[in-house]
Amino acid sequence: MSKYIVTGVDGNFGSIVAEKIQTLVPKQDLLFTAPTGERLKKFEEQGIKTAVANFNDAQELTRIFKNADKLLLISMPFVGEKRRAAHKNVVDACVAGNVKQIIYTSLVNATDPTNPSIEKIDHAWTESYVENTTLDYLFLRNSQYTEAMISNYFAVGKNGVLANNQAEGKMAYISREDCAHAAAYAVANPYLHREILNINGPELTTIARLVEIGNQITGNEVTYKSVSDDEDYAIFDKMGVPRTTDGNFKKGSSAPFSSDGMVTFGKAIRLGKMATYSNDFLTLTGRQPKNIQYLFEHADQYQIGDRHSVDHG
């Protein structure tokens, strides 16, 4: 019997992986983990093995992960030393527990030293840490979620102004759902070893073009305004968005991320550091990713949602 582990099934991303992967591999081969037991109950009722996994307890993780064929590490949503420590514990437990392959959800252009995104620092660190172990691996370098931009679009109102610092930079926006499906397919794929895949949307697009598409679909008259990095920070400050992931996040916010992460990410897009495009999604899943038009047409299903991360430390 095989053993495929999906971590973080309580989160927005992980819950989609958990549903999709059941169509790709036998249920008896699955083990789902989360930081608390509450959101594991429904999977237990479906006959899927579960475990409460505290990423700050490497010894317990080793026991849970022991002899797994594959483990999907979904990147933690907090940024900095805390995230790197959690990822290190998972990787160390995979090594100690004789896990055959780790699959990690990373970020576009993560290892480019000229990429100003603070988000990419932890991804580059995690990739490097894994590469320096004996583990087989797959790194899935995801583009920005289309849901984040669509949520911002609707948050400004029918005749509002969507302002950010991306300017004319391009991103191959992809839905979080498609990224999660790609992760499920990666877990189910027995042929990929020590590879890096770019999980991108169907085309490179500016944020201004995304707004135009939104207007065409909805009939709204939203306009896009390019602002400086400092002005972007001021916008998020006014919204009550915390500067770092250690801050307090408002429930129902259209921007459930830290402003440090979003502003430096926007800067990276503006500078062309995120303009990566490939057919890796198609090759991995056998279909094209959903385009921006589709997500706007089904916008009620594609909102970014609240944060669900739990930190035991």
Side-chain angles (χ1 to χ4, degrees), residues 11 24-25 34 38 52 63 74 78 96 104 118 130 145 160 172 213 248-249 258 272 289:
L24 302 175
V25 302
E38 180 181 354
V52 174
R63 183 190 67 78
I74 298 170
F78 33 80
Y104 175 63
I118 65 164
V130 171
Y145 298 155
I213 294 170
N248 295 317
F249 291 86
S258 71

Side-chain angles (χ1 to χ4, degrees), residues 39-57:
R39 295 193 180 185
L40 292 173
K41 291 178 182 178
K42 68 175 183 179
F43 299 116
E44 293 172 357
E45 293 169 356
Q46 295 169 12
I48 296 172
K49 293 185 288 292
T50 67
V52 174
N54 179 354
F55 279 14
N56 295 310
D57 187 343

Side-chain angles (χ1 to χ4, degrees), residues 17-282:
V17 177
E19 294 302 323
K20 182 63 181 178
I21 200 168
Q22 293 179 57
T23 70
L24 302 175
V25 302
K27 281 187 178 182
Q28 62 265 28
D29 293 346
L30 295 171
L31 172 64
F32 291 167
T33 79
T36 63
E38 180 181 354
R39 295 193 180 185
L40 292 173
K41 291 178 182 178
K42 68 175 183 179
F43 299 116
E44 293 172 357
E45 293 169 356
Q46 295 169 12
I48 296 172
K49 293 185 288 292
T50 67
V52 174
N54 179 354
F55 279 14
N56 295 310
D57 187 343
Q59 185 173 353
E60 178 65 6
L61 292 179
T62 300
R63 183 190 67 78
I64 295 169
F65 297 166
K66 188 175 181 180
N67 295 326
D69 294 272
K70 290 174 177 260
L71 179 138
L72 174 64
L73 171 57
I74 298 170
S75 174
M76 301 300 290
F78 33 80
V79 176
E81 184 178 345
K82 183 167 36 174
R83 174 157 61 172
R84 295 193 293 273
H87 289 181
K88 180 180 184 296
N89 285 339
V90 172
V91 175
D92 288 346
C94 285
V95 173
N98 192 37
V99 174
K100 304 299 185 296
Q101 184 181 70
I102 186 169
I103 299 164
Y104 175 63
T105 61
S106 189
L107 177 68
V108 164
N109 202 21
T111 53
D112 180 353
T114 68
N115 183 341
S117 167
I118 65 164
E119 294 280 351
K120 70 96 182 178
I121 296 172
D122 297 338
H123 294 296
W125 185 94
T126 303
E127 286 190 16
S128 178
Y129 193 75
V130 171
E131 287 174 328
N132 283 283
T133 69
T134 57
L135 291 168
D136 188 8
Y137 62 81
L138 296 177
F139 299 146
L140 306 178
R141 291 184 175 176
N142 296 329
S143 287
Q144 187 174 33
Y145 298 155
T146 320
E147 288 93 337
M149 295 295 98
I150 286 179
S151 296
N152 288 350
Y153 173 92
F154 285 108
V156 303
K158 292 184 177 181
N159 300 296
V161 177
L162 195 163
N164 69 26
N165 64 338
Q166 295 180 18
E168 295 301 311
K170 291 186 176 182
M171 165 64 77
Y173 296 105
I174 186 168
S175 75
R176 175 173 58 198
E177 179 183 73
D178 278 340
C179 289
H181 284 184
Y185 274 96
V187 172
N189 190 311
Y191 304 112
L192 299 173
H193 302 281
R194 299 183 74 85
E195 293 194 36
I196 297 172
L197 303 180
N198 289 299
I199 307 302
N200 314 126
E203 61 182 337
L204 287 167
T205 309
T206 65
I207 184 63
R209 176 57 185 152
L210 181 143
V211 169
E212 288 177 6
I213 294 170
N215 288 342
Q216 291 166 5
I217 301 299
T218 65
N220 294 348
E221 296 183 1
V222 175
T223 56
Y224 172 68
K225 179 183 178 183
S226 176
V227 299
S228 69
D229 296 341
D230 287 342
E231 289 170 326
D232 211 9
Y233 271 117
I235 291 170
F236 290 126
D237 288 346
K238 189 174 181 180
M239 292 171 61
V241 173
R243 290 284 178 114
T244 74
T245 53
D246 289 326
N248 295 317
F249 291 86
K250 290 184 176 180
K251 190 174 181 62
S253 171
S254 62
F257 310 103
S258 71
S259 59
D260 274 350
M262 290 185 287
V263 172
T264 59
F265 200 96
K267 180 179 179 181
I269 293 174
R270 185 180 72 240
L271 297 178
K273 303 301 181 181
M274 300 295 195
T276 298
Y277 172 79
S278 78
N279 284 319
D280 288 351
F281 180 90
L282 172 62

